[in-house]
Amino acid sequence: MPAAIAIAAGGGGDAVSAAMLAAAMPELGVVAIMSYSWDRFMIDPAPGPRVRADFDGLIDRGGVAEIPGTAALLIGQSTLPRLADSIRQPLLLLDAAEGAAGLAEQMCCAAAVFDASELIVIDVGGDILGEGHEPGLRTPLADSLSLAAAVQSGIPVRAFVAGPGLDGELSPAEVHSRLDRLEARQAAVLRPRDALPFNSIWSWHPSEANALLSAAAAGWRGTVQTQRNSAVTLTDNAANIYEVSARRLVDSSLASVLLGATSFEQAERLLRDRRNGRSELDIERTRSGDRAQARTPSLETLDFVDEYVIHAAAEGINALTIRRVAELVSATDPAATEALRELLAHHRPDNFRPPLYTVDSAS
């Protein structure tokens, strides 16, 4: 059976979905997963992706670094070491310091080490399809850089989009329009058995889009309020996976701008120029000091949450993501978020269903 390296295009959350994809489609032969360490500010306030030198305890695998469960950032936190202990495949670091060129070289090294003949690029939500003009597109850099690097590697590439619209950026209609124009095909539907082995991850992992994909695969249906007061509806279509031509996607997306980029700074600058001065790193740089505003939740916090979900239910919301609850009560650093999870699990067990906080049984 052919072997493949899965590329989690958007970072740690997509690595979980890559593992789900590997379970749902064993014929892909996924033998390792590559991911950025690019956690949002509530976990790691450092803007942008972490690089190899930021870690202690990585394992050199012939030009690419493997992340064991014992690895750790020298300063700050990364979700990847804990994730490495939760998935079957070896987890490898995407180090973006040298742009698409450096990432392509790392992918070639990984393919050589694991005797893989193919790269599988996986994105959840569909922002990898963005052309740059879409009003909701916020965070295309990681995905676009991953895709550009994969194609630049010279290794055969297959590209997959799962959970259309679950990231709250491109709408489901925009995602499907792009998929239709690219003549994508439906490759699989995630089922409860594909999500079940990863359920425990959502008790601590902050990803929203990938957690919603897992919830959709498990059969949950309804409207979920996510961070920044956005709403995402999980329908039967939310568990679908589509395959699109990687080459056609590069040629018609933001990834085309990043081919040949030799540093992360250059990649950000190229995408900023293409997007009329916009960069997702600007948001991260602004938020990097927000930890000082984090609050440790208390029993009084529950009163606020109870009141909030009553109003949310009246507006047709069926659940909130745990990340949205944390945002509402300013539990925006790792310690405060963990304290919130423990508080909800103990006092609101009927509602606390990671990755969701349901509103139907609020008391």
Side-chain angles (χ1 to χ4, degrees):
M1 185 174 74
I5 305 294
I7 310 299
D14 281 358
V16 184
S17 295
M20 282 198 288
L21 178 67
M25 300 179 67
E27 66 274 15
L28 294 176
V30 173
V31 293
I33 295 172
M34 301 188 76
S35 174
Y36 300 104
S37 179
W38 194 342
D39 291 302
R40 299 315 181 195
F41 78 100
M42 67 187 302
I43 298 295
D44 182 4
R50 295 301 197 117
V51 299
R52 188 168 180 168
D54 292 328
F55 281 88
D56 179 56
L58 298 181
I59 302 169
D60 181 67
R61 297 296 300 267
V64 64
E66 181 176 349
I67 306 162
T70 53
L73 285 173
L74 296 171
I75 300 174
Q77 296 191 40
S78 170
T79 57
L80 292 188
R82 190 171 182 181
L83 184 57
D85 282 338
S86 303
I87 62 176
R88 181 176 60 83
Q89 295 84 0
L91 186 58
L92 311 176
L93 181 67
L94 287 173
D95 182 337
E98 296 180 359
L103 288 170
E105 184 176 347
Q106 293 164 45
M107 292 173 189
C108 288
C109 291
V113 169
F114 290 93
D115 196 23
S117 59
E118 199 168 53
L119 301 177
I120 305 294
V121 176
I122 174 77
D123 170 58
V124 173
D127 57 347
I128 200 170
L129 302 169
E131 297 173 308
H133 57 79
E134 299 87 353
L137 186 63
R138 294 189 307 272
T139 59
L141 179 52
D143 306 270
S144 300
L145 190 58
S146 297
L147 178 61
V151 169
Q152 190 171 331
S153 74
I155 301 171
V157 182
R158 297 175 68 179
F160 292 87
V161 173
L166 292 186
D167 57 1
E169 299 199 23
L170 272 65
S171 68
E174 287 175 314
V175 172
H176 282 289
S177 175
R178 284 283 284 143
L179 290 172
D180 287 345
R181 280 185 281 151
L182 291 165
E183 299 180 308
R185 69 174 186 91
Q186 185 173 327
V189 179
L190 291 175
R191 304 295 185 187
R193 64 176 180 269
D194 305 316
L196 182 61
F198 309 100
N199 278 354
S200 63
I201 292 174
W202 309 121
S203 68
W204 57 269
H205 202 290
S207 174
E208 283 191 320
N210 295 275
L212 292 179
L213 178 65
S214 181
W220 196 92
R221 300 291 180 265
T223 299
V224 183
Q225 190 177 97
T226 65
Q227 60 177 319
R228 294 183 293 272
N229 198 27
S230 297
V232 174
T233 300
L234 273 60
T235 64
D236 291 345
N237 184 56
N240 290 351
I241 297 174
Y242 298 88
E243 181 173 6
V244 61
S245 163
R247 183 71 257 181
R248 289 185 64 180
L249 180 55
V250 166
D251 290 343
S252 63
S253 71
L254 291 171
S256 63
V257 181
L258 303 180
L259 292 169
T262 56
S263 72
F264 181 76
E265 292 75 17
Q266 181 188 19
E268 184 193 3
R269 184 171 63 253
L270 289 168
L271 217 56
R272 186 190 293 278
D273 291 345
R274 176 70 174 264
R275 302 188 67 222
N276 298 317
R278 288 180 293 165
S279 169
E280 62 218 64
L281 270 296
D282 294 336
I283 299 172
E284 294 191 10
R285 290 169 183 130
T286 299
R287 289 184 171 185
S288 64
D290 282 358
R291 280 182 185 242
Q293 306 302 318
R295 300 175 184 172
T296 300
S298 63
L299 289 175
E300 287 72 25
T301 303
L302 296 175
D303 295 333
F304 176 83
V305 174
D306 290 346
E307 184 70 21
Y308 187 88
V309 299
I310 290 171
H311 292 292
E315 295 176 359
I317 298 298
N318 305 111
L320 283 66
T321 63
I322 304 302
R323 185 167 170 179
R324 172 58 175 162
V325 179
E327 178 183 66
L328 287 168
V329 300
S330 299
T332 51
D333 69 12
T337 301
E338 181 60 25
L340 175 66
R341 288 177 180 272
E342 291 178 0
L343 190 71
L344 297 176
H346 182 71
H347 294 281
R348 298 292 184 270
D350 291 339
N351 306 86
F352 184 66
R353 306 290 178 84
L356 303 177
Y357 187 82
T358 62
V359 306
D360 302 317
S361 303
S363 58

